[in-house]
Each structure stands twice: as structure tokens, then as C-alpha cells.
Amino acid sequence: MPKRTTHTYSSEDAAPDGPDSDLFVYYCKHCSSHVLITDTQLQKTPKRKTDRACVLDKTKHLARLNVQEAGKILLKRGEGKLEKQFRMNCIGCGLFVCYRAEEDLETTSLIYIVDGALSTVAAETNPQDAPVPPCISRLEGGLVQVAIEVEAGAQRSAITRVNADDVRVTIAAPAARGEANNELLEFMAKVLGLRLSQMTLQRGWNNKSKLLVVEDLSARQVYEKLLEAVQP
């Protein structure tokens, strides 16, 4: 896993044209954390043909990023072509929001904003604007799968965070003899308003990372019930 560090960048050489110039604040569309301040509207910037990412030129526009470094990946583009991306994630939820082609953030001239990742409206002001995170997915037959990361033997049973990768749950019961799994199912049934017969622990009986499958709720309903129950 790459080392993740928080990095706030300010493009001082591309300041707004004057004191009356507009500044636009962009938030993570999933968790509403502040990600970017710039002096242009992203919908007016050029878009890449490959992935529809907005191209923000730091030599022309202000670019203040509040992100986590997420490491380098290589993507195959076309026949024999490899594209190098240095990815950056939202600090709040860890969702992939932008990338660059050069390792040094301060000297790179172009920032690529992932299509649909950011919004000018913070999700808290309108929760319906926040999409369901990838950790909650719809399966065939109307079932919904939830990726859960469990900490057993905690002081209390609670949902502590819902992010892009998983739902973080603490369970008071110890991990031994399946006690934590049983309490997890009972706790999630209470949170989601379901019977035990409407839920199945599909994977993860013997480790912290688990997959819970639930019936009779949509992915959106599961997401909203989990958010309501979060106790950091």
C-alpha cells in the first residue's frame, strides 16, 4: 500500500485576475469534504477523450487542492500504450477524485478531475446529491451487498464511518467462537430494521473484512439508514 499523505497545494502563479474575481469551491460528491478551490468552473474546462476527466491547467487557473496522495498506477490505453497516473483521493472518504501525469504535484501543470467526482454543492446541504458509495452495491434479484470492516472487542457496538471502501463497525463481543459475527448480524438487523432471516454474512466469518447481503431494501435505503446510525 502506498503511503498516504495529506497535501494542500496552492498555485500562487495563477491567482485570480483581481479582487472581484469569482472563486469556486468544489466538494467530494460522496462525503462533501472540501477538495478544490479554483477560479474557473470545471464544466468550462476541456475534457479528456479517454475518461471525460476535466483538465485543470495550473498555469492558467488557481488550483488549491485538499487531497490525499494515493500512489501511482499504470493504465493500458489502446494497443501497447501505458498511461501513468499519480492519483489523489478525498481526505474525508478516500474516494478517488483526481490525478496527474507527473510525480511532483508542485511542478505538474495539469490536474485531471475525475468525471462526476466533485460538486459545487456540499452534500450535507442536500443529502440526495450524494451518490451511494461503492461499498454498498446492488446484486441480482434485488439484493444489496455491503462491505464491512469490523473491529471486535470494542467498548460499544456502533457504526463509526461510512466511506468509499467499506462501512466501519465496532462490535463489543470478542472475535472468538463467532461471537462477534453473531452480534454483528443482530446489530445490523437493528440498524437496518430487518429480521435476521433477511440478512446473510456471505464472506468474512473468520476475518475483519466481511460481506453482508441484505434483502428487501434498496442500496439507497441501506446507505441512508447506515448514515443515520453513524456514531464517530
Side-chain angles (χ1 to χ4, degrees):
M1 290 290 291
K3 183 180 180 181
R4 294 194 175 190
T5 56
T6 302
H7 192 107
T8 303
Y9 174 76
S10 175
S11 178
E12 302 296 344
D13 295 332
D17 294 332
D20 297 326
S21 296
D22 291 330
L23 290 179
F24 300 93
V25 181
Y26 286 89
Y27 305 89
C28 173
K29 210 167 185 178
H30 165 51
C31 75
S32 82
S33 294
H34 157 235
V35 174
L36 169 70
I37 297 176
T38 184
D39 59 349
T40 186
Q41 293 175 297
L42 291 181
Q43 61 264 39
K44 294 182 178 179
T45 59
K47 287 184 176 289
R48 292 193 71 192
K49 292 182 179 180
T50 53
D51 59 7
R52 302 292 296 165
C54 295
V55 184
L56 184 60
D57 189 338
K58 296 202 290 92
T59 66
K60 299 178 181 178
H61 299 290
L62 180 73
R64 292 177 183 166
L65 287 166
N66 189 41
V67 293
Q68 284 181 329
E69 294 289 346
K72 179 183 72 174
I73 70 161
L74 291 176
L75 292 179
K76 188 174 182 181
R77 299 282 197 196
E79 296 183 2
K81 294 182 180 179
L82 291 178
E83 176 182 312
K84 186 185 301 182
Q85 290 185 0
F86 293 89
R87 292 189 166 185
M88 293 166 277
N89 292 349
C90 168
I91 288 177
C93 66
L95 204 63
F96 170 41
V97 291
C98 57
Y99 62 94
R100 61 190 186 273
E102 300 172 16
E103 184 172 8
D104 192 336
L105 178 58
E106 294 190 5
T107 59
T108 192
S109 59
L110 300 178
I111 299 293
Y112 301 95
I113 310 297
V114 175
D115 185 31
L118 304 185
S119 170
T120 53
V121 179
E124 286 95 352
T125 63
N126 185 3
Q128 297 303 318
D129 285 344
V132 177
C135 66
I136 303 170
S137 56
R138 185 177 180 276
L139 303 177
E140 293 182 2
L143 301 176
V144 174
Q145 177 178 277
V146 185
I148 299 176
E149 187 76 11
V150 175
E151 178 189 345
Q155 292 183 346
R156 58 174 182 166
S157 293
I159 294 172
T160 59
R161 187 171 179 179
V162 179
N163 59 26
D165 297 324
D166 51 46
V167 176
R168 305 291 174 91
V169 181
T170 59
I171 294 297
R177 299 182 301 277
E179 292 181 31
N181 289 326
N182 293 333
E183 184 169 326
L184 172 66
L185 289 170
E186 293 176 359
F187 175 69
M188 294 301 291
K190 182 179 178 181
V191 168
L192 298 175
L194 297 174
R195 301 184 302 275
L196 287 175
S197 60
Q198 293 172 289
M199 301 187 309
T200 304
L201 196 58
Q202 190 178 61
R203 192 185 74 191
W205 281 96
N206 298 317
N207 56 53
K208 294 181 178 180
S209 298
K210 305 177 186 295
L211 289 179
L212 179 70
V213 175
V214 303
E215 303 174 6
D216 302 325
L217 289 176
S218 68
R220 166 62 63 181
Q221 288 173 320
V222 170
Y223 178 43
E224 291 179 352
K225 287 177 181 291
L226 291 174
L227 284 182
E228 289 176 3
V230 170
Q231 299 178 27

